[in-house]
Amino acid sequence: GQDVNEADEEGRTGLMWASLNNHLNIVKYLVRRGAIVDAANNDGDTALIAACVGGHLDVSRFLCDSGADVNAANNDGFTTLMFASDRGHLAVVRYLTEQGADLFARLQDGRTALAFAIQFNHIAVAAYLKAEGNWQRRRSYAFVLRSIKDDESSGRALLEVLQSEDTKREIGSFL
């Protein structure tokens, strides 16, 4: 039989093509036959990245349920969430964040999924990412504050971190 993981000259597999073109039944078939869900092409793109580019929620869900890395990034650092955000695929963006996608992943130039949503004028995606990011930051800072509440030396160290200019810039948007 045919090798389900066979790739073309650019490293693209049948699973990647089926994911990009929203062929859920073919995606299911290939995965059942042993297709590697996190295989990457020459550019580092995976089947989940392809599904996110197309905004294909059901394919994205199936791939994640089959073990695909929700935080997969290609060779340029673009993550699944960045691809879904810069194309305005709100349902996929919501799903990825529910699955633990890193809202704060950055390219070398500093751009995040939120920056892409804003750049391409996807207002609903930008609003969702902003709200979700603020909630996650608040939750993590509250956890840190609770965990060091009774430890005076940790409290002093945290105060120094919170007073740094980088931290003020990072958390200033929701305080």
Side-chain angles (χ1 to χ4, degrees):
Q2 182 79 19
D3 177 7
V4 296
N5 291 304
E6 186 175 335
D8 65 16
E9 63 280 350
E10 295 187 24
R12 296 174 298 219
T13 64
L15 182 61
M16 292 173 197
W17 283 112
S19 298
L20 179 63
N21 292 294
N22 200 27
H23 295 300
L24 180 59
N25 288 334
I26 296 172
V27 168
K28 288 179 178 181
Y29 172 80
L30 291 170
V31 170
R32 280 195 303 267
R33 297 290 310 246
I36 299 169
V37 295
D38 278 333
N41 68 14
N42 298 351
D43 295 324
D45 295 323
T46 64
L48 181 56
I49 286 174
C52 292
V53 165
H56 307 309
L57 179 60
D58 290 337
V59 172
S60 298
R61 184 177 287 123
F62 179 79
L63 290 169
C64 286
D65 289 346
S66 299
D69 180 4
V70 73
N71 285 305
N74 70 11
N75 297 346
D76 294 322
F78 287 86
T79 66
T80 57
L81 187 60
M82 289 174 188
F83 278 111
S85 297
D86 83 351
R87 285 158 175 84
H89 301 308
L90 180 59
V92 175
V93 167
R94 284 181 184 263
Y95 177 74
L96 293 171
T97 58
E98 289 166 3
Q99 298 305 304
D102 183 358
L103 292 169
F104 308 111
R106 295 178 182 276
L107 295 179
Q108 286 185 337
D109 65 9
R111 288 181 295 168
T112 63
L114 175 59
F116 283 111
I118 292 168
Q119 178 181 351
F120 294 105
N121 206 31
H122 300 302
I123 304 306
V125 172
Y128 173 79
L129 290 171
K130 182 73 171 160
E132 186 68 15
N134 286 345
W135 180 82
Q136 284 190 15
R137 283 188 183 128
R138 282 189 192 111
R139 186 180 60 181
S140 62
Y141 282 112
F143 172 79
V144 168
L145 291 173
R146 279 195 310 274
S147 68
I148 65 162
K149 182 176 161 187
D150 298 322
D151 183 345
E152 188 178 323
S153 63
S154 292
R156 277 195 302 273
L158 178 64
L159 185 59
E160 289 175 20
V161 170
L162 289 176
Q163 290 176 336
S164 77
E165 289 304 310
D166 286 342
T167 302
K168 286 179 186 175
R169 272 194 307 279
E170 186 67 24
I171 67 174
S173 63
F174 70 86
L175 291 179

